[in-house]
């Protein structure tokens, strides 16, 4: 195996990523998903004439050309010399083969997909031993409107037939495919606009069209829908789009949908036209000025208390770190921040228990409007017992913050039990429908207000992340974005790199959510090494990959 310090930097980094995924140079972990290949997609239609021209240029020379979809899944190998094609197919280069660095290591498809730039990989630079006999050149295909990666175009040959002219050849072909994608997108946009105008003409009910990079809405739809509702609607329509492309017009579908506002509305939707990745939505006008309002929390997320506890009643505010425990506790005192005192339980370990307890006594004697004791699950038993006794005194109003109630044990559980009022804050990933209001509030706190606007596409990208840091992590992302831009629309490409592309996770059962969290935690603890994570979880690496794909975990 070639020493990594002799490799080009981009190749050395790819080898490191491949090794960290648990992939062995002698053992590919190739997945083949032939049923997931879409040969009627707009990408395939745009690629066909370009590849036909490329085939004429290459003639009968010993080259193979193939292209993948946005998931780095091989769609087709339309150009290929017989013997070379047979050898590649024997290595898993077939329709449906998933070429990611975690499955096939360093090569011009997987690495171009990872880096989003053109890549050449020559002979010994391949991570997997069976591929070292080949040279390959890959170039990403980027959608000209959305700027999202939609595939990779690749040309492969034996190392003896390698030529530096293959790189510009494949890059030019990729650009030609992108130009044809742009032309088809313009035609599709015209069809979507015509469908929208027809449906909205002379009607007051909400009408919406969602396409790739396109949102058309009449005033009633703008009033009814929050941007995060677009995510839910795209999920509903995904199957309609797949069935409608390249086929006959599809009949409309009617569903009842709960919006982020809590309203239940009936929506009728159907594909705009065959071959057009756009869906037309028509909503029944909600009853009354506010529609059908739901008072309780939706079944997809826990209800959060919205009424303030009676002043003087001890309150326990529980939740994961970053869920806003401090803000929720301080909000109990309303606008009287000058009379709110906060003590950190972690300071007891730093300053000593005696000093911390003395500070606690002084704070209570000062008769604040509200005393907030943070992270009480970190207190020693002696400090927790003393705090509980203070809570039994008449007079001081005390709010405690700490871990979720279900995770408390011993004296910290007794402290929470001594509070008649409980506020449990959900994880951010369980209330992503509130992302727009969280983002708006954070922009307001940063003094930006309405000058900066996160587009639905940007919110959709954010909504798909697991958010282990909860609101604190989101605030860091918003602050980073605002540091680079203070006015205008924020698209996915304005987000920090790790947050730009993140498909919305499907709804999970409680068991799947627990499994998702266990795998994500193991990956974090193992620094992203999937082999070590699989061993920690007591499962095979193949099982880990399958569950990660099913649960849409990226690492």
């Amino acid at each position: 195996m070639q020493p990594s310090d002799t490799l080009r930097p981009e190749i050395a980094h790819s080898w490191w990523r491949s090794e960290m995924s648990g992939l062995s140079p002698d053992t590919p972990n190739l997945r083949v998903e032939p049923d997931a290949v879409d040969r009627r997609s707009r990408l395939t239609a745009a690629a066909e004439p370009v590849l036909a021209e490329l085939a004429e240029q290459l003639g009968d020379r010993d080259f193979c050309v193939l292209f993948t979809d946005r998931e780095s899944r091989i769609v087709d190998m339309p150009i290929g010399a017989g013997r070379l094609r047979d050898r590649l197919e024997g290595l898993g280069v077939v329709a449906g083969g998933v070429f990611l660095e975690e499955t096939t290591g360093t090569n011009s498809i997987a690495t171009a997909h990872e880096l989003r730039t053109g890549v050449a990989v020559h002979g010994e630079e391949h991570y997997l031993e069976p591929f070292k006999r080949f040279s390959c050149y890959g170039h990403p295909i980027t959608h000209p409107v959305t700027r999202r990666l939609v595939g990779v175009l690749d040309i492969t040959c034996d190392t003896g037939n390698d030529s530096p002219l293959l790189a510009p050849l494949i890059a030019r072909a990729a650009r030609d495919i992108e130009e044809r994608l742009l032309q088809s997108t313009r035609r599709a946009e015209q069809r979507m606009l015509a469908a929208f105008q027809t449906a909205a003409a002379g009607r007051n009910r909400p009408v919406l069209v969602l396409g790739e990079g396109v949102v058309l809405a009449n005033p009633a739809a703008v009033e009814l829908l929050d941007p995060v509702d677009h995510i839910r609607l795209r999920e509903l329509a995904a199957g309609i789009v797949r069935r409608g492309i390249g086929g006959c017009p599809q009949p409309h579908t009617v569903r009842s949908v709960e919006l982020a506002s809590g309203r239940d509305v009936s929506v009728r939707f159907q594909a705009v036209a065959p071959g057009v990745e756009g869906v037309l939505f028509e909503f029944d006008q909600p009853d009354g000025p506010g529609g059908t309002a739901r008072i309780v929390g939706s079944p997809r997320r826990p209800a959060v208390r919205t009424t303030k506890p009676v002043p003087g009643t001890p309150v326990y505010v529980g939740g994961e770190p970053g869920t806003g425990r401090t803000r929720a506790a301080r909000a109990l005192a309303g606008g009287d921040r000058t009379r709110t005192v906060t003590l950190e339980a972690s300071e007891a370990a730093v300053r000593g228990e005696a000093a911390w307890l003395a500070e606690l006594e002084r704070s209570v004697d000062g008769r604040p409007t509200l005393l907030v004791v943070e992270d009480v699950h970190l207190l020693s038993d002696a400090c927790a017992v003393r705090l509980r006794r203070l809570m039994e005194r008449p007079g001081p109003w005390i709010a405690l913050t700490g871990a979720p109630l279900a995770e408390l044990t011993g004296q910290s559980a007794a402290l929470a039990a001594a509070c008649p009022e409980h506020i449990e804050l959900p994880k951010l990933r369980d209330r992503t429908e509130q992302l727009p209001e969280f983002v708006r509030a954070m922009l307001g706190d940063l003094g930006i207000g309405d000058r900066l606007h996160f587009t639905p596409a940007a919110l959709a990208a954010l909504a798909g992340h697991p958010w282990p840091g909860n609101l604190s992590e989101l605030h860091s992302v918003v602050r980073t974005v605002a540091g680079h831009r203070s006015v205008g629309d924020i698209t996915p490409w304005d987000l920090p790199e790790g947050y730009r592309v993140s498909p919305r996770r499907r709804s999970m059962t409680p068991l799947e959510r627990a499994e998702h969290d266990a795998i994500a935690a193991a990956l974090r603890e193992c620094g992203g090494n999937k082999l070590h994570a699989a061993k920690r979880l007591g499962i095979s690496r193949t099982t880990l990959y399958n569950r990660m794909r099913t649960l849409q975990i990226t690492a």
Side-chain angles (χ1 to χ4, degrees):
M1 190 168 181
Q2 186 174 348
S4 59
D5 57 0
T6 65
L7 298 171
R8 290 180 286 148
E10 62 270 29
I11 301 299
H13 290 154
S14 175
W15 277 32
W16 177 82
R17 290 191 297 268
S18 301
E19 184 178 5
M20 287 297 292
S21 74
L23 188 65
S24 167
D26 300 315
T27 312
N29 189 35
L30 184 66
R31 301 197 307 265
V32 180
E33 302 171 351
D35 294 339
V37 175
D38 185 1
R39 291 188 173 84
R40 299 180 300 175
S41 68
R42 195 183 300 177
L43 171 65
T44 303
E48 282 178 354
V50 176
L51 294 174
E53 181 179 349
L54 189 58
E56 290 184 8
Q57 294 173 343
L58 293 174
D60 58 357
R61 300 174 66 187
D62 289 333
F63 296 103
C64 280
V65 175
L66 54 148
F67 70 99
T68 70
D69 60 19
R70 69 184 62 194
E71 304 297 332
S72 205
R73 186 187 298 113
I74 293 175
V75 177
D76 197 6
M77 194 192 310
I79 303 171
R83 291 181 58 189
L84 179 60
R85 176 192 288 268
D86 291 342
R87 288 163 59 199
L88 290 174
E89 288 180 346
L91 296 175
V93 185
V94 295
V98 180
F99 270 60
L100 298 169
E101 288 185 341
E102 65 189 39
T103 62
T104 59
T106 303
N107 57 75
S108 62
I109 295 177
T111 306
H113 179 89
E114 178 73 26
L115 299 180
R116 306 299 203 257
T117 189
V119 174
V121 182
H122 309 287
E124 291 295 322
E125 291 181 330
H126 285 90
Y127 184 78
L128 292 181
E129 291 293 334
F131 289 163
K132 293 183 182 294
R133 294 168 288 172
F134 305 104
S135 289
C136 52
Y137 297 80
H139 201 279
I141 304 170
T142 304
H143 195 286
V145 176
T146 66
R147 307 311 303 166
R148 294 176 180 170
L149 180 74
V150 294
V152 173
L153 188 64
D154 169 271
I155 186 167
T156 298
C157 63
D158 285 305
T159 54
N161 293 328
D162 197 352
S163 168
L165 297 178
L166 294 177
L169 177 69
I170 208 70
R172 186 185 65 200
R175 289 194 296 269
D176 289 345
I177 294 174
E178 291 172 351
E179 178 60 32
R180 293 187 63 83
L181 276 174
L182 178 61
Q183 295 171 6
S184 67
T185 297
R186 288 170 176 165
R187 290 193 296 271
E189 288 175 350
Q190 292 172 354
R191 300 287 293 275
M192 284 187 274
L193 178 60
F196 172 76
Q197 291 174 330
T198 300
R203 298 178 184 176
N204 293 324
R205 67 180 176 183
V207 175
L208 175 75
V209 170
L210 293 178
E212 188 169 2
V214 175
V215 177
L216 301 173
N218 65 353
V222 172
E223 179 70 22
L224 175 67
L225 302 172
D226 194 280
V228 79
D229 289 322
H230 296 177
I231 302 170
R232 171 68 173 150
L233 294 172
R234 287 185 189 276
E235 288 178 344
L236 282 177
I240 296 288
V241 172
R242 284 193 295 270
R243 293 192 297 272
I245 292 177
C248 299
Q250 299 294 314
H252 69 262
T253 301
V254 178
R255 293 280 179 85
S256 178
V257 179
E258 182 191 346
L259 303 180
S261 62
R263 296 174 178 175
D264 283 322
V265 297
S266 177
V267 57
R268 177 180 184 268
F269 57 98
Q270 65 185 82
V272 167
V276 178
E277 296 180 17
V279 177
L280 171 68
F281 299 86
E282 298 175 86
F283 299 83
D284 285 346
Q285 188 71 19
D287 296 332
T292 305
R294 299 190 59 170
I295 305 302
V296 298
S298 78
R300 293 191 299 276
R301 64 184 176 100
V304 180
R305 186 187 184 101
T306 57
T307 59
K308 291 183 180 180
V310 176
T313 303
V315 181
Y316 184 84
V317 181
E320 284 191 350
T323 50
R325 298 180 309 207
T326 301
R327 179 176 292 229
R330 291 176 177 170
L332 296 172
D336 193 4
R337 295 187 178 183
T338 60
R339 297 288 293 162
T340 300
V341 175
T342 302
L343 288 181
E344 294 280 352
S346 58
E347 286 294 310
V350 177
R351 299 167 52 194
E353 292 183 6
W356 190 84
L357 288 172
E359 181 66 23
L360 176 63
E361 293 279 1
R362 286 194 295 270
S363 299
V364 171
D365 293 340
R367 296 290 177 179
T369 300
L370 179 69
L371 172 61
V372 179
V373 184
E374 296 268 33
D375 296 323
V376 295
H377 58 284
L378 302 178
L379 286 175
S380 67
D381 286 351
C383 290
V385 168
R386 181 59 183 151
L387 175 58
R388 186 152 54 93
R389 288 176 181 167
L390 285 175
M391 292 168 57
E392 294 170 357
R393 288 188 196 171
W397 186 16
I398 298 177
L400 312 179
T401 74
L405 287 167
E407 298 178 11
L408 299 178
T409 59
Q411 291 298 331
S412 58
L415 276 172
C419 297
E421 298 283 356
H422 291 165
I423 299 175
E424 188 80 1
L425 299 176
K427 304 167 186 176
L428 177 56
R429 62 172 171 265
D430 292 331
R431 46 176 171 161
T432 50
E433 65 270 29
Q434 294 179 274
L435 268 172
E437 62 185 88
F438 290 147
V439 169
R440 284 194 293 267
M442 291 172 183
L443 290 174
D445 291 342
L446 293 170
I448 294 174
D450 295 333
R451 299 197 306 274
L452 204 61
H453 172 70
F454 278 63
T455 63
L459 291 170
L462 294 177
H465 283 272
W467 297 108
N470 292 295
L471 290 172
S472 296
E473 183 182 354
L474 177 62
H475 189 271
S476 177
V477 171
V478 173
R479 187 175 62 247
T480 298
V481 170
H484 291 92
R485 229 175 131 180
S486 59
V487 67
D489 287 343
I490 298 300
T491 69
W493 294 102
D494 296 311
L495 301 173
E497 185 173 355
Y499 297 85
R500 292 174 186 170
V501 180
S502 184
R504 171 73 173 171
R505 298 189 310 275
R506 62 180 177 82
S507 297
M508 294 184 185
T509 66
L511 180 60
E512 287 175 324
R513 169 57 60 198
E515 188 178 6
H516 178 284
D517 292 351
I519 292 174
L523 288 168
R524 286 197 301 272
E525 292 166 3
C526 296
N529 188 309
K530 297 179 180 66
L531 179 61
H532 293 168
K535 290 180 179 177
R536 180 181 289 267
L537 293 165
I539 60 178
S540 69
R541 190 178 66 192
T542 300
T543 300
L544 176 63
Y545 279 124
N546 289 338
R547 296 311 297 157
M548 288 177 64
R549 183 169 68 253
T550 299
L551 300 172
Q552 299 183 19
I553 299 173
T554 59

